[in-house]
Each structure stands twice: as structure tokens, then as C-alpha cells.
Amino acid sequence: MYRLSCLLFVLFLVAVPASAGRDWPADWPVYEPPVVQLLQAEETKRLQAPEARQGVAVDKDHYYAVDNFSIAKYSRATGQRIALWRGARGGPVVHLNSCLVDGEDLACAHSNYPHVPFANSVEWFDRETLQPSRSKSLGVMDEGSLVWFDRLPEGWIVGLAHYSGDKGLGFKDNNFAAVELYDPQWRRIGGWALPQTLLQRIAPKAASGGAIGPEGYLYLMGHDRPEMYVLGKPLAGASLIHVATISIAAEGQAFDFDESEPGSVCAISRPNGQIRCFRLPAVAHNPKSYLPFN
């Protein structure tokens, strides 16, 4: 009899909606997320770079095409490759993702993808010679695979990936991908979940590139869609706000804002082995719904 009573109680809980019996006041507010802006990027330049398979970084004189364990340096003036670093097959550098200019170096997000458990590090390369200059291991991280990072006044904003299917952990799919905050010593101090509208578009992968744009919003690209996503900081809660989707002629992966040309970004076309640069459209601000990060 006791077991039957427990079973009937469980069936009651399943059958009755959580909101059943609630007498919601007529003036109870209902949350309406901001309408996602649909925008278009304007392409301004293409450069052949067969090494551009994971991403690109840019400074005022050079493009840096990034592959799993190689970096190629190209002159912006001539389009010619002028330096190349190649890591050893089976060596300590396994999977470079995104890189950014950090003083005299390139700072690059590195992971042991596709191996598990996830182990991550930050690798620095001298911009003049492309030779490795230093390394900081972040060790095994349950939070995910390190794919991108950028500076914030309080330290770093970081993208950590999980993948659905056989390229990740069997008990965590791409919904566990997240954006986190780290202090200058790479200690976690906060973070956010990605909004479902974004996770659905990048599934079964995660965001492969990310950076803070000139107006302070977070820009992300997935793994293979020709789209860039703009995210704002929420006024409350633990999920980022999907502000805009920008159509762009680059099929995902890591990208970099061109600080010498405000409003411009360089990305890659992995299938075509190209670096492609774009002028981005203006994003409308809505401080009542979301905020910039800086």
C-alpha cells in the first residue's frame, strides 16, 4: 500500500504543471527578451593563407594564420608569407585555437582537443620570430576546452567549450559551453551561460572564437556557420543576452579585431584557406536590457 501511495504521488507530480493552481495577478509582468538584431558585415579584403584553419590574429603590419600547431606570419602590405612556426607532430602543442596580440607576443588559447579530460594552457609566441616565448598551464579543467580569451579591466574573459557527440565528454553536451571571468593570475572569478538561442545555432559544437568589440559587447563565432553573434552582459541572472546575429562570409572559427582600423575584423574561411576582413555594422544599444562588458 505504501509503495502504491508513493507511485500515485509521483504520477500526480508529473501530471500537474508546476504553475497549476497559481492565481497569477493580471498585472504580473512577463519577461520579453530583446529582439535579436539581424545585420550584415561588408567584406573588404581576402588573402590566401593555407595555414588559416583555426583562426587569425592581426596587428598593424601583419596577419597571423593559426592552425593546430603552426602559425604563419603574412605581410599586410604585400600578402607574402614572411615567417612560419611549426610544432612537432605529437609534441606538447596539440591544438591552438585563437590568438591575440599581447605586447611583443601573440598569446594563444591552447587545449589538448580532442583528448579528454580537457587540459588547457596559454601559449605565447614572439611576434617577430614566431618562436615560443613562454607558457602557462591551466591544467585539467572540468569547465571545458579553452578556445578563446580577451582582456577586460579586471583580467580575462574566456570561452570554454563542450561538444555534443563523440568529440567531448559523454555526460556533457554543447549546452555546457560557457563564458567565464578570470583575474590577471588566471583564477576564476565569475562567468555566464550562453543563451539557448545561440547554443541552438552553434550545436553540436561551441563558440570557436570570441573577442570584445569596440563598443564593449562580446562577439562570438561558431564552428562552421557564416555568422557572428553579439552578446551583452545581463542586468540580472547567469545567462548572456543575445543582442545581434551578423551575416558574414567566414565559416566560423577564431577571429581578431583590427585595432588599426576601428570597426574592422579579420576572420578565416577554413574551406578556402583564406583570411578575410570585414567592416562590421553598428549594433543598437539597449541599456534597459543588457550592458557592454567594459
Side-chain angles (χ1 to χ4, degrees):
M1 186 66 181
Y2 174 76
R3 291 182 178 178
L4 178 60
S5 299
C6 290
L7 177 60
L8 291 173
F9 180 69
V10 169
L11 291 174
F12 172 79
L13 292 178
V14 171
V16 178
S19 60
R22 290 187 180 180
D23 186 14
W24 295 103
D27 62 347
W28 194 284
V30 177
Y31 175 70
E32 295 184 6
V35 176
V36 177
Q37 302 166 50
L38 301 179
L39 306 171
Q40 176 74 50
E42 177 188 354
E43 186 174 342
T44 58
K45 187 170 185 178
R46 292 189 180 191
L47 172 70
Q48 289 299 136
E51 305 86 359
R53 295 187 53 79
Q54 291 299 328
V56 61
V58 57
D59 62 26
K60 65 183 183 66
D61 295 317
H62 305 99
Y63 301 112
Y64 302 88
V66 181
D67 201 352
N68 287 336
F69 42 92
S70 70
I71 302 175
K73 181 179 178 180
Y74 286 83
S75 168
R76 292 182 65 159
T78 66
Q80 298 300 306
R81 192 179 75 185
I82 55 179
L84 175 66
W85 173 81
R86 286 177 175 166
R89 291 182 179 271
V93 176
V94 179
H95 189 80
L96 295 174
N97 289 290
S98 65
C99 299
L100 56 81
V101 173
D102 186 28
E104 298 302 313
D105 292 333
L106 290 177
C108 301
H110 171 257
S111 71
N112 66 338
Y113 178 86
H115 305 295
V116 291
F118 297 127
N120 301 314
S121 67
V122 181
E123 305 294 332
W124 282 268
F125 297 83
D126 182 276
R127 279 196 288 149
E128 181 65 29
T129 65
L130 296 187
Q131 293 304 303
S133 60
R134 57 192 171 107
S135 174
K136 180 175 181 61
S137 175
L138 305 178
V140 173
M141 296 178 66
D142 292 335
E143 295 89 341
S145 181
L146 179 65
V147 283
W148 61 264
F149 57 84
D150 202 357
R151 302 178 193 82
L152 284 180
E154 64 268 31
W156 303 96
I157 185 168
V158 175
L160 292 158
H162 283 277
Y163 309 98
S164 302
D166 61 355
K167 295 298 184 181
L169 301 173
F171 56 92
K172 286 186 177 181
D173 60 16
N174 82 306
N175 287 283
F176 285 83
V179 172
E180 297 191 348
L181 294 175
Y182 286 76
D183 70 9
Q185 288 73 46
W186 288 90
R187 296 172 295 200
R188 184 171 182 253
I189 57 175
W192 300 273
L194 294 174
Q196 281 297 314
T197 54
L198 175 56
L199 289 168
Q200 292 167 3
R201 298 193 71 78
I202 63 177
K205 302 293 186 180
S208 293
I212 298 295
E215 70 279 81
Y217 294 118
L218 175 62
Y219 286 69
L220 297 178
M221 290 189 79
H223 190 268
D224 46 27
R225 277 182 181 263
E227 296 178 342
M228 181 172 277
Y229 310 102
V230 185
L231 300 171
K233 184 165 64 173
L235 302 180
S239 294
L240 297 173
I241 305 298
H242 188 178
V243 174
T245 296
I246 302 173
S247 179
I248 187 170
E251 299 88 352
Q253 305 297 322
F255 60 90
D256 195 15
F257 282 96
D258 184 356
E259 296 184 2
S260 67
E261 297 183 14
S264 294
V265 67
C266 293
I268 68 169
S269 174
R270 182 173 181 168
N272 296 290
Q274 292 177 337
I275 295 170
R276 296 180 180 179
C277 297
F278 304 87
R279 185 175 296 108
L280 293 178
V283 175
H285 302 281
N286 186 349
K288 293 183 179 180
S289 298
Y290 49 81
L291 298 171
F293 288 82
N294 57 4

